[in-house]
Amino acid sequence: MTAPFDIAHAGSANKGSDAPATPRNVPNRGGAPNPSAADLKAKFGTAIRRVDVVWGETNVYVAPEAALDIIRWLHDDASQQYDYLVDVTAVEYRDLEQPIEVVWHLRSLPYRRFLRVKAQLTKNRPLEIPSVWSIYKSADWLERECFDMFGITFVGHPDLRRILMWEQYREGFPLRKDFPLRGRFSRAEQLRQALAANPEARYSMEELTIADAFEDLPTDMRQRLRGGERTGE
Amino acid sequence: MATQKRTVDVALSTTGVDAQGRPQRVPLVTADDGSPVAVEAPPMVEPDLAGEHMLINIGPQHPATHGVLRLVLELDGETVVRCIPHVGYLHCGFEKLGEYRQYNQILPLTDREDYLNSMGNNVGHVMTAERLFGIEITERCKVLRVIACELSRIASHLVWLGTTCIDIGAFTPFLWAFQQREYIYDLIELWVGARLTPTITRVGGLAADIPDGWMDNLRNFIAKFPNTVEEIDRMLTKNGIWVGRTVGLGILTPEEAVNYGLSGPMLRASGVAYDVRKDFPYYDYETYDFDVPVGTNGDVYDRYLVRMEELRQSVRIVEQAIKRLPDGPINVDDPRVILPNKSKATSEMESMIHHFKLVMEGPRPPLGEAYVAMESPKGEKGYYMVSDGTSKPVRWRIRPPSFVNLSAIPKMVEGHLLSDVIAINASIDIVMGEIDR
């Protein structure tokens, strides 16, 4: 039997001089920016607010409303091909005056490039940003997590629910700086809520529409669900 | 007394035939004196189940979900129509906790997120922290960290192999795999004293240098370990049951795999040759001679083959690392992060102040941010840190490969049988500690 798969030598040092190497002595500021940054500036003009290079990685600050178009162009354009969304997350600074940043880490597998796209959201307005789910399916859970932890609404996400915290969680958004480390509620209140929760009610509305599951619920829960409650509490 | 052969007549009360024409049988009921009593057969009416879907809940307390994963499945007969995964049962708030800790104090958290790859996580965390400090670690430290990463990868893949075998119904490879894993943990125990959560690195170096004779133990292990891989390979790769339970399940095309953000063996089994060690190398991985196995079909069987080959390649890397391990210090000579030695700290004023400041305030990186990825056994694991110049990060983010890999599970299981859900879920190699963090 022949080997049922290829052993690839991708990027191996044996394969010529274009192989990537471990970065050394990376400067704090400056250095060669990712070539995509200049392309973005030429293409989108003022929607690209700022470009800087920190520790060898290029940060591109974009206007929040243009973020979707910019990322779609980065994904679709043949000269960019950022086909891999590594991460979607947000940063809130300790200085509460500073805006919250939504951060996309993008990789171009064909060109072996890494780009960090950032959009700043001021806090005096609702935290909303377009979802990139329509471009990358990997954004599904990453955006849900970001919503869960920071309360940023990703407009256009098909199923923006909490993911790590449970749906009945009422204490707010844990990774925000105004959220205390021990939680907003007292231990006694947290315990009371945990004990009062109905473990049978841990199904989302979407699941309850499946088949006869709805009919199997206790009567009181069915009534409350008909009344518009998302899940039992 | 010789036992007499005897025949017992069993009277079956047969009252007719059912809808399929089979004789209907009801249990024999005897009266007090032992005589059979005829009972009425219950009416046998086959319910019409066509089009009726069933809701099945697997987990969070289920041994085959590899932790506290919960899957809500909609079934049509035995076929999965829809799968809704629920995670978060193990959420510990590590990312929040990290914002309240100094860079070295975060290390125990990294042990506990992906607890099968704790040494790899330690390395990944300090790699990002060192980028943030602008530190170049010593050559010896680099090679030791590569050894730690690869041992960690072997241990993690062995757990994956063992538990997947259990899920699919093979018990023996589980024992073989876990025995080898014990040897790795013995090695780690010799090195730093802990087994599962070793906290092996520090910013700028390592917790400890390897003890005398440790390399011989490692060479011993590396010499014997491939036998186990070959044994398991002989046991499973051409095994009809194994092949039958894994081939053609959970197929993802290369385009889908990239779009779903999969990484590690999951992505490579789908035919995308992306390995962080090759494409964005760290610790001179580009100078090690090793191959990246890439599958063609993207099914559970290919993921198994890829991981088996990675075990062999990791052995190759460790062998090369043993050969090139240089002498020298393990910690950088950088007073910003490394404590002065004890005798100096108790005898010299400057060293004492320095020691005090480092312990009480912690090292302070300059303003900046860094994302450094590494190839963990599960895939691309990255740490993203933002520093505002204080000794604690503003944001400490883990890019969890199993979290992103798991998000493709609805895509993979829909249309397959319920029993295949277990095999597909096992093939993702999830660790809930990392998914929920």
Side-chain angles (χ1 to χ4, degrees):
Chain A
M1 193 165 115
T2 53
F5 54 89
D6 304 326
I7 288 183
H9 291 263
S12 164
N14 310 330
K15 297 274 280 186
S17 58
D18 64 332
T22 307
R24 278 166 215 283
N25 298 317
V26 186
N28 184 356
R29 299 285 148 158
N34 186 327
S36 303
D39 299 342
L40 277 172
K41 265 188 175 163
K43 169 91 184 160
F44 288 96
T46 53
I48 308 296
R49 301 260 166 90
R50 183 152 62 91
V51 173
D52 55 15
V53 183
V54 182
W55 293 121
E57 289 157 2
T58 308
N59 292 347
V60 178
Y61 290 80
V62 303
E65 58 279 3
L68 182 62
D69 290 335
I70 289 170
I71 292 174
R72 192 185 295 282
W73 182 76
L74 284 173
H75 177 265
D76 292 346
D77 194 83
S79 64
Q80 308 298 327
Q81 295 190 34
Y82 283 85
D83 50 358
Y84 192 81
L85 176 71
V86 180
D87 202 1
V88 180
T89 187
V91 180
E92 187 180 12
Y93 289 89
R94 294 206 175 95
D95 175 6
L96 294 179
E97 300 288 306
Q98 281 199 47
I100 288 186
E101 289 173 349
V102 182
V103 183
W104 294 272
H105 287 138
L106 302 174
R107 260 196 215 296
S108 161
L109 299 187
Y111 291 104
R112 291 208 183 99
R113 284 181 192 165
F114 177 77
L115 188 68
R116 183 181 297 133
V117 180
K118 283 187 170 194
Q120 296 185 318
L121 300 175
T122 47
K123 289 189 185 170
N124 51 16
R125 271 182 288 167
L127 299 173
E128 285 183 355
I129 194 87
S131 164
V132 297
W133 177 83
S134 53
I135 312 168
Y136 305 100
K137 292 286 176 286
S138 53
D140 184 354
W141 281 25
L142 292 169
E143 285 179 354
R144 272 177 72 187
E145 190 194 342
C146 197
F147 162 72
D148 190 2
M149 292 291 141
F150 287 92
I152 295 166
T153 309
F154 289 87
V155 180
H157 189 287
D159 183 26
L160 199 63
R161 287 181 288 131
R162 282 190 180 271
I163 184 163
L164 293 180
M165 311 309 279
W166 52 105
E167 273 189 59
Q168 298 92 340
Y169 189 71
R170 292 281 171 273
E171 295 186 45
F173 302 106
L175 280 179
R176 295 289 290 272
K177 290 289 184 228
D178 56 0
F179 187 94
L181 185 58
R182 306 204 86 188
R184 253 191 242 289
F185 298 163
S186 66
R187 279 282 181 270
E189 172 63 15
Q190 287 173 346
L191 182 69
R192 192 197 66 72
Q193 289 195 357
L195 293 178
N198 180 4
E200 293 292 317
R202 291 278 186 257
Y203 291 92
S204 68
M205 281 305 275
E206 190 196 3
E207 288 154 9
L208 291 169
T209 58
I210 294 175
D212 290 338
F214 185 77
E215 298 302 320
D216 296 337
L217 292 171
T219 326
D220 63 315
M221 247 178 80
R222 268 184 284 168
Q223 278 167 358
R224 284 190 297 167
L225 283 167
R226 280 204 193 96
E229 219 173 281
R230 275 182 67 81
T231 45
E233 216 172 295
Chain B
M1 195 174 76
T3 43
Q4 272 186 311
K5 217 178 195 179
R6 62 182 189 146
T7 312
V8 179
D9 286 325
V10 179
L12 285 172
S13 146
T14 303
T15 57
V17 288
D18 64 8
Q20 277 80 37
R22 293 184 297 252
Q24 271 188 342
R25 287 173 173 181
V26 293
L28 178 71
V29 179
T30 51
D32 289 342
D33 61 348
S35 59
V37 178
V39 281
E40 283 281 310
M44 292 282 279
V45 181
E46 280 277 319
D48 181 22
L49 293 172
E52 247 188 68
H53 289 187
M54 187 196 249
L55 187 70
I56 285 266
N57 181 71
I58 306 180
Q61 307 295 340
H62 190 285
T65 54
H66 295 228
V68 283
L69 170 66
R70 177 173 161 229
L71 298 172
V72 177
L73 301 168
E74 181 182 358
L75 298 181
D76 179 3
E78 261 196 277
T79 311
V80 178
V81 178
R82 189 156 48 145
C83 166
I84 303 167
H86 290 262
V87 299
Y89 290 91
L90 207 60
H91 179 58
C92 317
F94 283 162
E95 291 182 6
K96 182 82 173 172
L97 288 168
E99 296 171 9
Y100 290 79
R101 273 158 180 71
Q102 298 166 10
Y103 289 88
N104 273 328
Q105 293 173 336
I106 294 173
L107 273 165
L109 299 178
T110 65
D111 280 331
R112 282 153 183 80
E113 31 125 342
D114 178 358
Y115 40 81
L116 298 180
N117 177 38
S118 22
M119 290 193 292
N121 298 340
N122 297 156
V123 171
H125 167 75
V126 294
M127 193 156 53
T128 318
E130 282 153 7
R131 176 74 58 82
L132 217 50
F133 280 92
I135 293 172
E136 290 288 319
I137 58 166
T138 62
E139 285 302 314
R140 183 177 175 83
C141 182
K142 258 184 210 171
V143 178
L144 285 177
R145 281 186 186 179
V146 167
I147 292 176
C149 282
E150 295 306 321
L151 284 182
S152 200
R153 185 185 322 279
I154 292 173
S156 171
H157 277 357
L158 285 174
V159 173
W160 169 82
L161 190 58
T163 50
T164 304
C165 289
I166 291 267
D167 283 350
I168 293 182
F171 192 79
T172 313
F174 168 77
L175 298 175
W176 294 346
F178 270 59
Q179 188 187 24
Q180 295 300 316
R181 177 175 171 255
E182 276 305 302
Y183 293 142
I184 296 179
Y185 281 151
D186 287 348
L187 285 170
I188 304 169
E189 193 180 3
L190 278 172
W191 188 349
V192 280
R195 290 163 63 83
L196 194 68
T197 55
T199 321
I200 208 160
T201 57
R202 296 290 183 274
V203 177
L206 291 168
D209 204 340
I210 49 171
D212 291 341
W214 192 83
M215 270 299 160
D216 296 331
N217 290 337
L218 178 63
R219 268 188 215 107
N220 249 336
F221 169 73
I222 285 300
K224 286 181 188 158
F225 172 67
N227 294 339
T228 307
V229 180
E230 296 319 317
E231 265 177 347
I232 297 176
D233 185 70
R234 270 204 300 281
M235 182 104 163
L236 295 178
T237 305
K238 289 177 192 170
N239 181 321
I241 301 172
W242 183 262
V243 172
R245 287 291 313 266
T246 53
V247 168
L249 292 184
I251 295 176
L252 288 175
T253 62
E255 294 76 27
E256 282 168 351
V258 169
N259 202 251
Y260 272 95
L262 302 190
S263 48
M266 289 280 289
L267 180 66
R268 291 192 285 273
S270 287
V272 183
Y274 170 59
D275 186 317
V276 184
R277 291 174 294 177
K278 292 282 192 192
D279 289 79
F280 297 90
Y282 50 96
Y283 295 153
D284 301 334
Y285 262 111
E286 73 273 16
T287 60
Y288 291 86
D289 181 24
F290 69 102
D291 300 326
V292 178
V294 174
T296 43
N297 304 316
D299 58 1
V300 177
Y301 186 66
D302 272 19
R303 286 169 206 149
Y304 154 76
L305 290 175
V306 166
R307 288 199 178 95
M308 288 297 275
E309 187 59 34
E310 281 192 8
L311 284 173
R312 300 185 184 110
Q313 299 299 333
S314 285
V315 170
R316 277 179 72 189
I317 298 173
V318 174
E319 278 169 352
Q320 295 169 48
I322 293 173
K323 275 190 199 127
R324 69 164 72 172
L325 181 69
D327 287 332
I330 50 164
N331 290 337
V332 289
D333 183 20
D334 189 336
R336 285 182 304 158
V337 289
I338 297 296
L339 291 173
N341 71 42
K342 203 73 189 173
S343 60
K344 272 192 178 172
T346 51
S347 60
E348 288 175 18
M349 194 61 191
E350 289 74 19
S351 299
M352 190 178 175
I353 294 170
H354 173 210
H355 190 284
F356 179 81
K357 295 271 273 186
L358 261 189
V359 172
M360 300 307 290
E361 288 176 357
R364 293 156 179 265
L367 223 65
E369 58 193 302
Y371 173 89
V372 182
M374 64 175 300
E375 184 72 25
S376 98
K378 319 285 183 299
E380 172 177 347
K381 172 149 218 159
Y383 289 87
Y384 174 52
M385 294 177 201
V386 183
S387 153
D388 62 350
T390 60
S391 59
K392 293 163 186 169
V394 170
R395 178 87 172 97
W396 183 66
R397 160 81 180 159
I398 308 163
R399 192 268 179 188
S402 4
F403 181 80
V404 185
N405 287 356
L406 184 67
S407 71
I409 195 174
K411 170 86 185 155
M412 284 189 282
V413 301
E414 279 161 17
H416 286 297
L417 297 182
L418 179 60
S419 56
D420 296 337
V421 173
I422 301 300
I424 294 169
N425 180 44
S427 77
I428 306 174
D429 192 12
I430 52 170
V431 168
M432 292 314 286
E434 179 182 73
I435 291 171
D436 295 344
R437 283 156 290 140

